Structures are given as structure tokens and as C-alpha cells.
Short mmCIF file of all heavy atoms in Angstrom, two decimals:
data_model
loop_
_atom_site.label_atom_id
_atom_site.label_comp_id
_atom_site.label_asym_id
_atom_site.label_seq_id
_atom_site.Cartn_x
_atom_site.Cartn_y
_atom_site.Cartn_z
N PHE A 1 -3.66 -1.44 -2.37
CA PHE A 1 -3.01 -2.29 -3.35
C PHE A 1 -4.01 -2.69 -4.43
O PHE A 1 -5.17 -3.00 -4.13
CB PHE A 1 -2.44 -3.56 -2.69
CG PHE A 1 -1.41 -3.27 -1.64
CD1 PHE A 1 -1.78 -3.15 -0.30
CD2 PHE A 1 -0.08 -3.13 -1.99
CE1 PHE A 1 -0.82 -2.89 0.67
CE2 PHE A 1 0.88 -2.87 -1.02
CZ PHE A 1 0.51 -2.76 0.31
N ASN A 2 -3.54 -2.67 -5.66
CA ASN A 2 -4.40 -3.03 -6.79
C ASN A 2 -4.21 -4.49 -7.16
O ASN A 2 -3.10 -4.95 -7.40
CB ASN A 2 -4.10 -2.15 -8.00
CG ASN A 2 -4.48 -0.70 -7.76
OD1 ASN A 2 -5.48 -0.43 -7.10
ND2 ASN A 2 -3.68 0.23 -8.25
N ASP A 3 -5.31 -5.22 -7.20
CA ASP A 3 -5.29 -6.61 -7.61
C ASP A 3 -5.52 -6.67 -9.12
O ASP A 3 -6.60 -6.38 -9.62
CB ASP A 3 -6.39 -7.38 -6.88
CG ASP A 3 -6.37 -8.87 -7.22
OD1 ASP A 3 -5.51 -9.28 -8.01
OD2 ASP A 3 -7.22 -9.61 -6.69
N LYS A 4 -4.46 -7.06 -9.87
CA LYS A 4 -4.53 -7.08 -11.34
C LYS A 4 -4.63 -8.51 -11.87
O LYS A 4 -4.33 -8.79 -13.03
CB LYS A 4 -3.31 -6.39 -11.93
CG LYS A 4 -3.18 -4.93 -11.52
CD LYS A 4 -1.95 -4.29 -12.14
CE LYS A 4 -1.80 -2.83 -11.71
NZ LYS A 4 -0.59 -2.20 -12.30
N SER A 5 -5.05 -9.42 -11.01
CA SER A 5 -5.12 -10.82 -11.43
C SER A 5 -6.27 -11.08 -12.39
O SER A 5 -6.28 -12.08 -13.11
CB SER A 5 -5.27 -11.73 -10.20
OG SER A 5 -6.43 -11.37 -9.47
N THR A 6 -7.25 -10.20 -12.42
CA THR A 6 -8.37 -10.34 -13.35
C THR A 6 -8.41 -9.14 -14.27
O THR A 6 -7.61 -8.22 -14.16
CB THR A 6 -9.69 -10.45 -12.57
OG1 THR A 6 -9.88 -9.24 -11.81
CG2 THR A 6 -9.66 -11.63 -11.60
N ASN A 7 -9.34 -9.15 -15.19
CA ASN A 7 -9.46 -8.03 -16.12
C ASN A 7 -9.89 -6.74 -15.42
O ASN A 7 -9.58 -5.65 -15.87
CB ASN A 7 -10.47 -8.37 -17.22
CG ASN A 7 -9.96 -9.48 -18.14
OD1 ASN A 7 -8.75 -9.62 -18.33
ND2 ASN A 7 -10.86 -10.28 -18.68
N MET A 8 -10.60 -6.89 -14.31
CA MET A 8 -11.05 -5.73 -13.55
C MET A 8 -10.09 -5.48 -12.39
O MET A 8 -9.76 -6.40 -11.64
CB MET A 8 -12.47 -5.95 -13.01
CG MET A 8 -13.53 -6.09 -14.09
SD MET A 8 -15.19 -6.27 -13.39
CE MET A 8 -15.35 -4.72 -12.53
N ILE A 9 -9.64 -4.23 -12.28
CA ILE A 9 -8.72 -3.87 -11.21
C ILE A 9 -9.51 -3.68 -9.91
O ILE A 9 -10.46 -2.92 -9.85
CB ILE A 9 -7.94 -2.58 -11.54
CG1 ILE A 9 -7.08 -2.79 -12.79
CG2 ILE A 9 -7.08 -2.16 -10.36
CD1 ILE A 9 -6.33 -1.55 -13.22
N LYS A 10 -9.12 -4.42 -8.88
CA LYS A 10 -9.80 -4.36 -7.59
C LYS A 10 -8.84 -3.84 -6.53
O LYS A 10 -7.72 -4.30 -6.42
CB LYS A 10 -10.32 -5.75 -7.20
CG LYS A 10 -11.14 -5.75 -5.92
CD LYS A 10 -11.64 -7.15 -5.63
CE LYS A 10 -12.46 -7.17 -4.33
NZ LYS A 10 -12.95 -8.53 -4.02
N GLU A 11 -9.31 -2.87 -5.77
CA GLU A 11 -8.47 -2.29 -4.74
C GLU A 11 -8.62 -3.02 -3.42
O GLU A 11 -9.72 -3.39 -3.02
CB GLU A 11 -8.82 -0.80 -4.54
CG GLU A 11 -8.42 0.10 -5.69
CD GLU A 11 -8.65 1.56 -5.36
OE1 GLU A 11 -9.32 1.84 -4.35
OE2 GLU A 11 -8.15 2.43 -6.10
N HIS A 12 -7.48 -3.23 -2.75
CA HIS A 12 -7.48 -3.81 -1.41
C HIS A 12 -6.87 -2.78 -0.47
O HIS A 12 -5.75 -2.30 -0.69
CB HIS A 12 -6.66 -5.10 -1.38
CG HIS A 12 -7.23 -6.19 -2.24
ND1 HIS A 12 -8.23 -7.02 -1.82
CD2 HIS A 12 -6.94 -6.56 -3.51
CE1 HIS A 12 -8.54 -7.88 -2.78
NE2 HIS A 12 -7.76 -7.61 -3.82
N LYS A 13 -7.59 -2.44 0.56
CA LYS A 13 -7.14 -1.41 1.49
C LYS A 13 -6.72 -2.04 2.82
O LYS A 13 -7.42 -2.89 3.38
CB LYS A 13 -8.26 -0.40 1.74
CG LYS A 13 -7.86 0.78 2.62
CD LYS A 13 -9.01 1.75 2.83
CE LYS A 13 -9.38 2.44 1.53
NZ LYS A 13 -10.41 3.50 1.76
N TYR A 14 -5.55 -1.61 3.32
CA TYR A 14 -5.02 -2.12 4.58
C TYR A 14 -4.55 -0.94 5.43
O TYR A 14 -4.14 0.10 4.91
CB TYR A 14 -3.84 -3.07 4.36
CG TYR A 14 -4.16 -4.25 3.49
CD1 TYR A 14 -3.99 -4.19 2.11
CD2 TYR A 14 -4.63 -5.44 4.05
CE1 TYR A 14 -4.29 -5.29 1.30
CE2 TYR A 14 -4.93 -6.54 3.25
CZ TYR A 14 -4.75 -6.45 1.88
OH TYR A 14 -5.05 -7.53 1.10
N ILE A 15 -4.60 -1.12 6.73
CA ILE A 15 -4.05 -0.13 7.67
C ILE A 15 -2.77 -0.71 8.26
O ILE A 15 -2.77 -1.77 8.88
CB ILE A 15 -5.05 0.20 8.79
CG1 ILE A 15 -6.31 0.85 8.21
CG2 ILE A 15 -4.41 1.14 9.82
CD1 ILE A 15 -7.36 1.19 9.25
N LEU A 16 -1.66 0.00 8.05
CA LEU A 16 -0.34 -0.44 8.50
C LEU A 16 0.09 0.40 9.71
O LEU A 16 0.10 1.63 9.64
CB LEU A 16 0.69 -0.31 7.39
CG LEU A 16 0.34 -0.94 6.03
CD1 LEU A 16 1.47 -0.68 5.05
CD2 LEU A 16 0.08 -2.43 6.18
N GLU A 17 0.45 -0.26 10.79
CA GLU A 17 1.00 0.43 11.95
C GLU A 17 2.52 0.29 11.91
O GLU A 17 3.05 -0.81 12.06
CB GLU A 17 0.45 -0.16 13.25
CG GLU A 17 0.88 0.62 14.48
CD GLU A 17 0.23 0.14 15.76
OE1 GLU A 17 -0.83 -0.52 15.67
OE2 GLU A 17 0.78 0.41 16.84
N VAL A 18 3.21 1.41 11.69
CA VAL A 18 4.65 1.38 11.45
C VAL A 18 5.35 2.44 12.29
O VAL A 18 4.71 3.30 12.89
CB VAL A 18 4.95 1.63 9.95
CG1 VAL A 18 4.36 0.52 9.09
CG2 VAL A 18 4.39 2.99 9.50
N SER A 19 6.68 2.36 12.32
CA SER A 19 7.46 3.40 12.99
C SER A 19 7.56 4.63 12.08
O SER A 19 7.23 4.57 10.90
CB SER A 19 8.86 2.87 13.32
OG SER A 19 9.61 2.68 12.12
N THR A 20 8.04 5.73 12.64
CA THR A 20 8.20 6.96 11.84
C THR A 20 9.16 6.73 10.67
O THR A 20 8.90 7.17 9.55
CB THR A 20 8.71 8.11 12.72
OG1 THR A 20 7.78 8.33 13.78
CG2 THR A 20 8.86 9.39 11.91
N HIS A 21 10.26 6.04 10.92
CA HIS A 21 11.23 5.79 9.86
C HIS A 21 10.64 4.89 8.77
O HIS A 21 10.88 5.10 7.58
CB HIS A 21 12.50 5.16 10.44
CG HIS A 21 13.24 6.07 11.36
ND1 HIS A 21 14.13 5.61 12.31
CD2 HIS A 21 13.21 7.41 11.50
CE1 HIS A 21 14.63 6.65 12.97
NE2 HIS A 21 14.07 7.74 12.50
N GLN A 22 9.86 3.89 9.16
CA GLN A 22 9.20 3.04 8.17
C GLN A 22 8.19 3.85 7.36
O GLN A 22 8.05 3.66 6.14
CB GLN A 22 8.51 1.87 8.87
CG GLN A 22 9.48 0.86 9.45
CD GLN A 22 8.80 -0.16 10.34
OE1 GLN A 22 7.77 0.11 10.95
NE2 GLN A 22 9.36 -1.36 10.41
N MET A 23 7.48 4.76 8.01
CA MET A 23 6.53 5.62 7.32
C MET A 23 7.22 6.45 6.25
O MET A 23 6.72 6.58 5.12
CB MET A 23 5.83 6.54 8.32
CG MET A 23 4.92 7.59 7.68
SD MET A 23 4.57 8.99 8.77
CE MET A 23 6.18 9.79 8.86
N ILE A 24 8.37 7.03 6.60
CA ILE A 24 9.11 7.87 5.65
C ILE A 24 9.48 7.06 4.41
O ILE A 24 9.31 7.51 3.27
CB ILE A 24 10.37 8.46 6.31
CG1 ILE A 24 9.97 9.42 7.44
CG2 ILE A 24 11.23 9.19 5.29
CD1 ILE A 24 11.14 9.90 8.28
N ILE A 25 9.99 5.85 4.62
CA ILE A 25 10.40 5.01 3.49
C ILE A 25 9.20 4.62 2.64
O ILE A 25 9.23 4.73 1.41
CB ILE A 25 11.11 3.74 4.01
CG1 ILE A 25 12.43 4.12 4.68
CG2 ILE A 25 11.37 2.76 2.87
CD1 ILE A 25 13.15 2.95 5.33
N LEU A 26 8.11 4.19 3.27
CA LEU A 26 6.94 3.73 2.52
C LEU A 26 6.30 4.87 1.72
O LEU A 26 5.83 4.66 0.60
CB LEU A 26 5.91 3.12 3.47
CG LEU A 26 6.29 1.77 4.09
CD1 LEU A 26 5.28 1.36 5.14
CD2 LEU A 26 6.40 0.70 3.01
N MET A 27 6.30 6.07 2.27
CA MET A 27 5.65 7.19 1.58
C MET A 27 6.45 7.67 0.37
O MET A 27 5.92 8.39 -0.48
CB MET A 27 5.38 8.35 2.55
CG MET A 27 4.29 8.03 3.55
SD MET A 27 3.78 9.42 4.59
CE MET A 27 2.98 10.49 3.38
N PHE A 28 7.74 7.28 0.29
CA PHE A 28 8.48 7.56 -0.93
C PHE A 28 7.79 6.92 -2.14
O PHE A 28 7.79 7.47 -3.24
CB PHE A 28 9.91 6.99 -0.84
CG PHE A 28 10.87 7.87 -0.08
CD1 PHE A 28 11.78 7.32 0.81
CD2 PHE A 28 10.89 9.24 -0.27
CE1 PHE A 28 12.68 8.12 1.50
CE2 PHE A 28 11.77 10.05 0.41
CZ PHE A 28 12.67 9.48 1.30
N PHE A 29 7.21 5.74 -1.93
CA PHE A 29 6.65 4.97 -3.04
C PHE A 29 5.26 5.46 -3.45
O PHE A 29 4.60 4.83 -4.28
CB PHE A 29 6.60 3.49 -2.67
CG PHE A 29 7.97 2.89 -2.50
CD1 PHE A 29 8.54 2.79 -1.24
CD2 PHE A 29 8.70 2.45 -3.60
CE1 PHE A 29 9.82 2.25 -1.08
CE2 PHE A 29 9.97 1.92 -3.45
CZ PHE A 29 10.53 1.82 -2.18
N ASN A 30 4.81 6.58 -2.89
CA ASN A 30 3.57 7.20 -3.37
C ASN A 30 3.76 7.81 -4.75
O ASN A 30 2.80 7.97 -5.51
CB ASN A 30 3.10 8.28 -2.39
CG ASN A 30 2.35 7.71 -1.22
OD1 ASN A 30 1.85 6.58 -1.28
ND2 ASN A 30 2.25 8.47 -0.14
#
């Protein structure tokens, strides 16, 4: 996720443990 609250864009990385169906939905937004 990109933090756009400041002038410099900062990336925040997270590991999500999800079901297969949740994975399919989330990967659409790539």
C-alpha cells in the first residue's frame, strides 16, 4: 500500500493470509 499523506510516497508491505476465493478477488485489483 502506498502512503500518500506526505509529498514522498512511502510503501507499506503486509502479508495477508486469505482463502482461495479471497485471493482471487484481491488479485483482480492488481
Side-chain angles (χ1 to χ4, degrees):
F1 299 93
N2 293 323
D3 183 0
K4 300 180 181 180
S5 58
T6 62
N7 292 330
M8 296 183 62
I9 298 178
K10 184 179 180 180
E11 290 187 348
H12 297 276
K13 184 180 293 186
Y14 302 90
I15 297 179
L16 309 179
E17 186 174 339
V18 297
S19 69
T20 301
H21 295 159
Q22 290 170 331
M23 174 200 69
I24 295 172
I25 294 175
L26 289 173
M27 290 187 69
F28 279 138
F29 295 95
N30 279 340

